[in-house]
Amino acid sequence: YWWGVPGKMKTFIDRLYFYHSSHNKKLIAGKKAMVFSPMNMNSDNPRIDIFKNFYDILFDNLDLKFVGGYYFGNVNEKGALVKRSEYMEQINDLGKNLNQYFD
């Protein structure tokens, strides 16, 4: 995706434009948001900052509180995520502690 969001996520994000209006923003302002995304590059690649900055700008414009991002590097094929024990551990830990983000 050339350091951008996947197509299905972009479609979802485009639907959020309704909330960018000053009349509608109050409907979601202050709500919390997380990002989960596979990537076709190493997680420590400095270029992923472009990707992360996109979400920062999006959430800031919608007055959403960004509470966490999970970016899974080198996940190129279907089923690749479940083969990475460190990623599965992160997801499992998040699930166990999700209430801390949304209390």
Side-chain angles (χ1 to χ4, degrees), residues 3 41-51 53:
W3 303 286
M41 67 178 109
N42 291 331
S43 298
D44 61 352
N45 187 326
R47 292 180 177 169
I48 71 165
D49 288 341
I50 296 167
F51 186 63
N53 288 338

Side-chain angles (χ1 to χ4, degrees), residues 54-74:
F54 170 81
Y55 284 109
D56 289 340
I57 292 167
L58 172 68
F59 297 144
D60 183 57
N61 277 301
L62 293 172
D63 292 334
L64 296 173
K65 183 179 179 189
F66 184 50
V67 296
Y70 294 85
Y71 307 95
F72 304 107
N74 295 322

Side-chain angles (χ1 to χ4, degrees), residues 8-102:
K8 289 183 181 184
M9 178 59 92
K10 178 67 169 91
T11 300
F12 172 75
I13 289 168
D14 287 347
R15 300 307 186 271
L16 294 174
Y17 191 75
F18 170 82
Y19 297 105
H20 191 262
S21 159
S22 60
H23 299 295
N24 300 325
K25 191 177 284 190
K26 64 183 178 243
L27 298 171
I28 64 168
K31 295 202 181 284
K32 298 175 184 176
M34 290 183 142
V35 173
F36 299 86
S37 185
M39 299 181 303
N40 189 15
M41 67 178 109
N42 291 331
S43 298
D44 61 352
N45 187 326
R47 292 180 177 169
I48 71 165
D49 288 341
I50 296 167
F51 186 63
K52 291 177 177 180
N53 288 338
F54 170 81
Y55 284 109
D56 289 340
I57 292 167
L58 172 68
F59 297 144
D60 183 57
N61 277 301
L62 293 172
D63 292 334
L64 296 173
K65 183 179 179 189
F66 184 50
V67 296
Y70 294 85
Y71 307 95
F72 304 107
N74 295 322
V75 179
N76 307 325
E77 300 169 359
K78 184 177 181 177
L81 187 68
V82 298
K83 295 176 184 174
R84 302 282 301 267
S85 61
E86 69 275 22
Y87 292 160
M88 295 309 296
E89 191 173 310
Q90 286 178 17
I91 293 166
N92 190 38
D93 289 344
L94 173 66
K96 288 178 182 176
N97 301 302
L98 194 59
N99 62 336
Q100 76 181 6
Y101 297 102
F102 297 99

